[in-house]
Amino acid sequence: MTVVLQKENMIACHQCDTLFTMPNIIAGQEVICTCCGSTLFVRKKDHINRTLAVSSAGLLFFIPAMVLPIIGVGVSSAGIYNDASLIDCITLMINSGYYIIAFAVFIFAIAVPLVRLSSAFYISICIKYNWLRPSLFTFFRSHHMLDTWTMIHVFFMGLIVSMYKLTSLAELSVDKGLVSLVLLLLCSTLVSITMDQHSIWEKLEQEFG
């Protein structure tokens, strides 16, 4: 007897490629591979509202993180004090001729986080209010690809290293822009945690598949 497996009812382990029949689980449960023990996927609780809240917060912190001063550098004995925002840093690199670095910082620290948070907000709104259309497939696929292009945490680590090196040369002060940048980084990370991509794919496939 030949058994025909329907591919839409199957799931493959991303570690060992073992195929399983798609189980029916409820929110809060997870599927574990019986061969290697890795987690196949987790059905997250209230993922739409949580993603909507986190992405909204991230968009609110975005503008302050870009335009407010990040750190202040000064020498009290000389009476010199300077501060710079993320936009100022990019402008300074352009004026100094570091066009490639300025472009990379703009793409990975500004453009990608903005598009990623905006797309998460848009996807959550569409799912929450059932504003589903075929173009959402392409939109969600693009959002999924941006997960590997978010580099704002790399910029933040470089900023921390720079601050550490400057402490022996001048007095540093933490400005509001750095606080906003930290909160933006937190929201950008939480979007990946709160969004249940498996459930969204299932919903879109059921609607348009």
Side-chain angles (χ1 to χ4, degrees):
M1 181 179 65
T2 302
V3 178
V4 179
L5 297 177
Q6 299 295 327
K7 64 179 181 179
E8 61 267 18
N9 294 325
M10 304 298 295
I11 185 172
C13 176
H14 59 280
Q15 294 290 341
C16 64
D17 294 328
T18 304
L19 286 175
F20 298 96
T21 302
M22 184 74 72
N24 293 321
I25 61 175
I26 61 175
Q29 293 182 332
E30 61 181 19
V31 179
I32 304 295
C33 177
T34 56
C35 293
C36 65
S38 61
T39 301
L40 300 182
F41 68 93
V42 179
R43 191 76 72 184
K44 299 177 182 178
K45 297 180 179 179
D46 197 22
H47 66 102
I48 293 299
N49 289 326
R50 291 181 178 181
T51 303
L52 185 59
V54 171
S55 59
S56 300
L59 291 173
L60 289 175
F61 289 124
F62 183 82
I63 294 180
M66 297 300 111
V67 301
L68 292 180
I70 298 176
I71 57 173
V73 181
V75 180
S76 58
S77 58
I80 301 173
Y81 182 83
N82 271 315
D83 55 26
S85 65
L86 184 55
I87 299 296
D88 293 332
C89 295
I90 295 176
T91 303
L92 181 61
M93 284 185 283
I94 293 175
N95 294 335
S96 301
Y98 300 111
Y99 303 112
I100 297 178
I101 299 177
F103 178 76
V105 172
F106 172 77
I107 292 296
F108 296 121
I110 297 181
V112 172
L114 176 61
V115 173
R116 190 163 174 268
L117 288 170
S118 300
S119 62
F121 179 82
Y122 175 73
I123 292 168
S124 301
I125 285 289
C126 290
I127 299 294
K128 181 178 177 65
Y129 295 103
N130 205 31
W131 298 338
L132 304 179
R133 50 185 61 86
S135 60
L136 201 59
F137 260 123
T138 305
F139 201 85
F140 185 58
R141 188 178 293 112
S142 301
H143 172 83
H144 179 70
M145 292 177 60
L146 285 176
D147 281 346
T148 57
W149 288 89
T150 305
M151 298 293 180
I152 192 171
H153 59 285
V154 177
F155 177 83
F156 183 72
M157 288 300 298
L159 182 63
I160 296 299
V161 173
S162 301
M163 291 176 63
Y164 175 76
K165 290 184 176 181
L166 285 172
T167 51
S168 59
L169 302 175
E171 297 177 357
L172 295 182
S173 62
V174 175
D175 288 326
K176 296 178 181 178
L178 182 60
V179 177
S180 300
L181 187 64
V182 172
L183 294 174
L184 175 62
L185 174 62
L186 179 62
C187 291
S188 180
T189 303
L190 286 177
V191 163
S192 299
I193 298 174
T194 58
M195 179 176 283
D196 190 342
Q197 298 191 8
H198 189 83
S199 296
I200 295 176
W201 278 123
E202 280 187 350
K203 187 173 183 63
L204 294 176
E205 288 176 353
Q206 289 172 4
E207 188 73 22
F208 304 108

